[in-house]
Amino acid sequence: EVQLQASGGGLVQAGGSLRLSCAASGFTLDDYAIGWFRQAPGKEREGVSCISTSDGNTYYADSVEGRFTISSDNATNTVYLQMNSLKPEDAAVYYCAADLNIGSYYWCRYQGFDYWGKGTLVTVSS
């Protein structure tokens, strides 16, 4: 059974950093697209960053480019999202998701991902 567990959220001041982890089980990361998505109250879920675990290619939303870094550790079946220089507008519930179609990383749209974990809340105080 494919399972994803996101963790690492919390409360941070603007300008601070957090690292989110997505632990995968029931499958190996080698040939999946893994994505981080977020949803703020009243807003649509949006793609933050996605990665192709086979070759490390990545996608970043314009709003996080240069501040967030996605990485995968296939040995531990974990994908990370390092978030630096956090802004109040980054506050949301963050979800990790996986898709067998590795090309899904390129567009990083939530509609293209089949497997979802429960979210982790990120709060950024101004």
Side-chain angles (χ1 to χ4, degrees):
E1 179 186 5
V2 173
Q3 290 190 329
L4 299 163
Q5 179 66 53
S7 62
L11 172 63
V12 64
Q13 286 189 328
S17 298
L18 283 174
R19 188 176 80 157
L20 305 184
S21 299
C22 175
S25 61
F27 68 105
T28 55
L29 284 180
D30 303 69
D31 280 313
Y32 277 74
I34 304 293
W36 284 99
F37 300 83
R38 67 187 180 188
Q39 189 164 20
K43 293 190 176 181
E44 187 178 14
R45 190 170 297 190
E46 63 173 343
V48 175
S49 182
C50 291
I51 188 168
S52 161
T53 57
S54 66
D55 56 19
N57 285 336
T58 57
Y59 163 95
Y60 293 96
D62 289 344
S63 58
V64 307
E65 181 84 53
R67 300 188 296 123
F68 291 11
T69 303
I70 191 170
S71 61
S72 69
D73 184 343
N74 291 5
T76 61
N77 246 28
T78 305
V79 174
Y80 301 97
L81 185 68
Q82 178 67 44
M83 307 188 296
N84 298 330
S85 303
L86 282 160
K87 303 176 181 180
E89 52 263 42
D90 294 317
V93 177
Y94 282 70
Y95 301 87
C96 63
D99 194 60
L100 272 171
N101 177 6
I102 204 163
S104 294
Y105 92 90
Y106 186 82
W107 298 108
C108 202
R109 293 175 180 162
Y110 73 88
Q111 298 94 331
F113 283 73
D114 290 332
Y115 302 101
W116 290 83
K118 292 182 180 179
T120 184
L121 178 63
V122 172
T123 305
V124 184
S125 64
S126 57

